[in-house]
């Protein structure tokens, strides 16, 4: 992700400052891209900051939804698209995998179904 942002000529803080800071708006955008039930949505909203949610949203959009190849510069994106997506949306478990790859704590995101 750092390499991608550098190529685009922006910093992570620039990117996040341009994104919505309102958690409700961020959650609406995530719900369009992620299979979430109400409980899962509430867990994400309660346990992550607006910046963390925006970073998750950016990674999902840029590296998984808009990039069906699952590759960046001929390298496989980890976690893989097949591991995080079901159909055209990311799964809740996929969100947790992405967050872990971004070194964001997934504490409090236990899905007991």
């Amino acid at each position: 992700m750092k390499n991608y942002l550098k190529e685009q000529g922006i910093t992570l803080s620039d990117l996040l400052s341009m994104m919505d800071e309102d958690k409700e708006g961020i959650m609406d955008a995530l719900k369009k891209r992620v299979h979430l039930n109400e409980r899962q949505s509430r867990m994400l909203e309660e346990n992550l900051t607006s910046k963390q949610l925006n970073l998750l949203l950016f990674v999902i959009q840029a590296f998984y939804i808009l990039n069906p190849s699952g590759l960046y510069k001929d390298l496989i994106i980890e976690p893989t698209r097949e591991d995080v997506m079901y159909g055209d949306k990311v799964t809740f478990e996929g969100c947790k995998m992405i967050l872990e790859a971004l070194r964001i704590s997934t504490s409090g995101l236990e899905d007991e179904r």
Side-chain angles (χ1 to χ4, degrees), residues 27 35-45 92-93 109 111 113:
M27 291 309 301
H35 296 285
L36 292 173
N37 62 38
E38 284 305 311
R39 183 173 180 281
Q40 293 165 336
S41 178
R42 194 170 49 253
M43 282 190 289
L44 287 172
E45 190 172 0
F92 182 69
E93 287 301 316
L109 300 180
D111 188 21
R113 297 190 198 266

Side-chain angles (χ1 to χ4, degrees), residues 92-104:
F92 182 69
E93 287 301 316
C95 282
K96 292 191 323 187
M97 293 168 75
I98 293 168
L99 289 167
E100 288 170 358
L102 293 169
R103 295 185 176 94
I104 296 173

Side-chain angles (χ1 to χ4, degrees), residues 19-33 45 50 53-54 57:
M19 296 178 82
D20 192 352
E21 290 185 26
D22 174 51
K23 277 192 175 182
E24 188 175 322
I26 301 166
M27 291 309 301
D28 287 343
L30 275 172
K31 288 176 187 175
K32 292 177 183 173
R33 295 161 178 85
E45 190 172 0
S50 294
L53 289 169
N54 273 325
L57 178 61

Side-chain angles (χ1 to χ4, degrees), residues 58-93:
F58 169 74
V59 169
I60 287 170
Q61 185 68 30
F63 293 100
Y64 293 96
I65 293 177
L66 294 178
N67 182 13
S69 73
L71 299 174
Y72 177 70
K73 292 193 169 194
D74 294 326
L75 299 171
I76 296 173
I77 297 170
E78 291 287 334
T80 66
R81 192 171 199 277
E82 292 77 26
D83 289 340
V84 301
M85 294 193 73
Y86 179 76
D88 61 349
K89 288 185 172 186
V90 172
T91 64
F92 182 69
E93 287 301 316

